[in-house]
């Protein structure tokens, strides 16, 4: 069986990375370290992380500062070409509501030196997701705390709360969605009693005393599948390499808009992000319910450990998912222990941001999916 690298490249779904109008493959950091890489053009978040790590603080400290800035600023400003637009969904409080109209926080941090991880999932009433995740890593033997218990822990450790994480924007979005008969949504193979539920499996038509199916919908599941895209999805995934060459990653998200109250891949180490100082780091964004089934960031880091370059490692991880789910939407950035970075995506155009010593400010790289060669 041939191992020709050119044939391998053709077999994978690969991308074109654009920077300042030039076409490139992997990008090498001339000044090397420190280095900050983040999903999307979250410029202020990257600047906050850079300020921290460039002053001599650790990669873990810088990840906290960067993701925290994104939560506080409610990152949601995207750049395409020379123009900007504001997305209607944000990282942090006031972001994507679930199907009950509530905004919750998922966050994760990973130390690539010790392999320690701290995470919070479906955390209510506390807006400082990344700081709560770090407290889990620092002050418990656990990896993840969930729901109200995560909130109680975070508040007991000194974080502000309880506070309402909803905003005028998130409430308005939820109200309009309810008016649209709760479509689209994340349900499948179910029958709603009314337009917005409650729901029962299609195979169980319960005509009991307390249940009467909506006759206009009876016998037909008319739910519209939810499609994740950059307009209804809010995740920051960040990697930092400090001056010592130590690596850390972190994430913060509200998850998918109008999700069933649940946990996506944001707080899952190996899916939304992963770091190992001996190999490199990865950050991901997209349809977390699908991506977490493949642990793409773990795959990327392990591929780089085995000698695969970041570009091919990212392409390979995306291709593994798209082969099984050709309609999925997602993206990955990869950075190896030497500071070489690249990205790959499927189903959308992806942007990631970088700051290194040889840059005057944050640089945004654009990654476009390429159709497979027939």
């Amino acid at each position: 069986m041939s191992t020709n690298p050119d044939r391998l490249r053709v077999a994978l779904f690969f991308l074109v990375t654009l920077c300042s109008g030039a076409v490139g493959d992997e990008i090498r950091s001339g000044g090397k370290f420190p280095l900050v890489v983040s999903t999307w053009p979250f410029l202020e978040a990257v600047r906050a992380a850079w300020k921290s790590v460039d002053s001599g603080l650790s990669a873990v400290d810088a990840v906290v500062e960067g993701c925290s800035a994104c939560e506080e600023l409610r990152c949601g400003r995207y750049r395409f070409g020379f123009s900007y637009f504001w997305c209607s969904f944000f990282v942090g409080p006031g972001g994507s509501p679930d199907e009950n109209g509530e905004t919750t926080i998922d966050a994760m941090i990973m130390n690539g030196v010790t392999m320690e991880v701290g995470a919070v999932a479906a955390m209510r009433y506390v807006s400082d997701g990344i700081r709560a995740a770090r407290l889990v890593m620092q002050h418990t033997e656990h990896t993840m705390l969930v729901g109200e218990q995560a909130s109680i822990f975070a508040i007991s450790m000194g974080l502000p709360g309880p506070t309402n994480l909803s905003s005028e924007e998130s409430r308005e979005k939820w109200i309009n969605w309810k008016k649209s008969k709760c479509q689209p949504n994340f349900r499948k193979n179910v029958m709603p009693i009314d337009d917005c539920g409650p729901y029962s499996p299609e195979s169980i038509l319960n005509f009991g005393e307390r249940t009467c199916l909506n006759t206009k919908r009876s016998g037909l599941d008319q739910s519209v599948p939810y499609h994740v895209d950059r307009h209804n999805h809010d995740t920051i995934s960040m990697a930092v390499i400090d001056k010592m060459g130590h690596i850390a990653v972190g994430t913060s998200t509200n998850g998918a808009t109008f999700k069933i109250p649940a946990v996506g891949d944001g707080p899952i180490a190996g899916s939304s992000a992963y770091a190992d100082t001996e190999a490199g780091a990865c950050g991901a964004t997209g349809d977390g319910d699908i991506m977490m089934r493949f642990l793409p960031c773990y795959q990327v880091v392990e591929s780089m450990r085995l000698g695969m370059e970041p570009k091919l490692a990212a392409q390979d991880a995306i291709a593994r998912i798209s082969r099984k789910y050709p309609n999925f939407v997602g993206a990955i950035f990869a950075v190896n222990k030497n500071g070489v970075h690249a990205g790959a995506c499927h189903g959308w155009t992806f942007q990631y941001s970088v700051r290194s010593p040889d840059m005057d400010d944050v640089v945004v790289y654009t990654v476009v999916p390429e159709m497979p060669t027939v």
Side-chain angles (χ1 to χ4, degrees):
M1 183 175 178
S2 173
T3 58
N4 187 306
D6 291 330
R7 296 187 64 182
L8 176 61
R9 286 178 171 83
V10 171
L12 299 173
F13 293 108
F14 67 92
L15 55 93
V16 176
T17 304
L18 303 175
C19 176
S20 301
V23 177
D25 292 329
E26 292 158 341
I27 312 298
R28 299 181 182 272
S29 174
K32 205 168 184 181
F33 305 139
L35 180 70
V36 179
V37 185
S38 171
T39 52
W40 304 117
F42 295 151
L43 307 184
E44 294 305 321
V46 175
R47 287 172 183 143
W50 174 258
K51 181 179 179 180
S52 176
V53 73
D54 192 45
S55 71
L57 294 181
S58 71
V60 170
D61 291 327
V63 164
V64 171
E65 292 304 313
C67 290
S68 181
C70 206
E71 292 169 345
E72 293 173 8
L73 295 170
R74 300 170 67 202
C75 287
R77 194 185 193 196
Y78 295 93
R79 183 180 79 176
F80 288 89
F82 294 100
S83 61
Y84 290 84
F85 71 91
W86 283 96
C87 179
S88 55
F89 298 93
F90 308 89
V91 174
S96 303
D98 62 25
E99 69 172 16
N100 293 331
E102 183 177 8
T103 297
T104 56
I105 302 287
D106 298 337
M108 185 270 290
I109 189 165
M110 182 173 189
N111 185 331
V113 177
T114 65
M115 308 306 286
E116 292 175 292
V117 174
V120 292
M123 185 173 68
R124 310 170 74 189
Y125 314 131
V126 177
S127 61
D128 298 306
I130 193 68
R131 296 189 190 280
R134 187 179 190 179
L135 288 169
V136 172
M137 183 173 71
Q138 288 179 317
H139 298 293
T140 81
E141 295 291 341
H142 299 301
T143 293
M144 182 188 299
L145 299 182
V146 181
E148 268 190 71
Q149 295 306 312
S151 309
I152 292 169
F153 169 79
I155 293 170
S156 75
M157 299 302 293
L159 293 182
T163 185
N164 185 356
L165 300 184
S166 297
S167 66
E168 182 178 341
E169 296 98 328
S170 67
R171 285 189 292 269
E172 183 180 353
K173 290 291 180 184
W174 181 71
I175 290 170
N176 289 335
W177 178 71
K178 295 283 282 188
K179 290 178 180 178
S180 299
K181 300 181 178 181
C182 298
Q183 299 295 327
N185 62 48
F186 286 88
R187 307 278 180 169
K188 68 178 184 180
N189 305 321
V190 294
M191 290 297 303
I193 291 176
D194 207 339
D195 290 324
C196 293
Y199 301 86
S200 298
E202 276 185 334
S203 58
I204 302 176
L205 299 181
N206 186 352
F207 291 97
E209 296 179 359
R210 296 168 53 189
T211 304
C212 181
L213 290 175
N214 184 336
T215 56
K216 293 181 180 180
R217 302 185 62 153
S218 181
L220 178 64
D221 175 13
Q222 295 180 345
S223 295
V224 178
Y226 201 92
H227 180 73
V228 172
D229 62 33
R230 63 176 175 267
H231 303 296
N232 57 31
H233 182 266
D234 56 342
T235 299
I236 181 171
S237 183
M238 176 178 284
V240 176
I241 307 180
D242 63 26
K243 292 181 177 180
M244 299 291 292
H246 299 160
I247 306 176
V249 293
T251 66
S252 183
T253 183
N254 302 132
T257 309
F258 310 133
K259 66 184 178 181
I260 301 168
V263 177
D265 74 329
I268 308 299
S271 186
S272 63
Y274 196 74
D276 187 336
T277 294
E278 297 178 359
C282 167
T285 184
D287 189 341
D289 284 302
I290 290 177
M291 297 179 81
M292 67 194 298
R293 302 168 191 174
F294 295 82
L295 296 178
C297 276
Y298 175 80
Q299 179 67 50
V300 165
V301 173
E302 289 307 300
S303 293
M304 292 190 298
R305 186 193 309 279
L306 296 174
M308 190 176 287
E309 290 298 316
K311 180 183 175 182
L312 283 180
Q315 291 169 347
D316 176 59
I318 289 292
R320 288 168 185 259
I321 305 173
S322 63
R323 281 196 294 267
K324 297 289 186 179
Y325 294 92
N327 295 321
F328 108 97
V329 174
I332 287 172
F333 71 74
V335 54
N336 68 16
K337 64 182 180 180
N338 298 317
V340 180
H341 57 87
C345 60
H346 184 84
W348 60 5
T349 295
F350 172 55
Q351 292 185 306
Y352 70 98
S353 304
V354 179
R355 180 72 160 92
S356 64
D358 58 341
M359 298 174 179
D360 294 328
D361 197 1
V362 182
V363 174
V364 177
Y365 294 87
T366 298
V367 180
V368 297
E370 181 160 317
M371 298 301 294
T373 302
V374 179

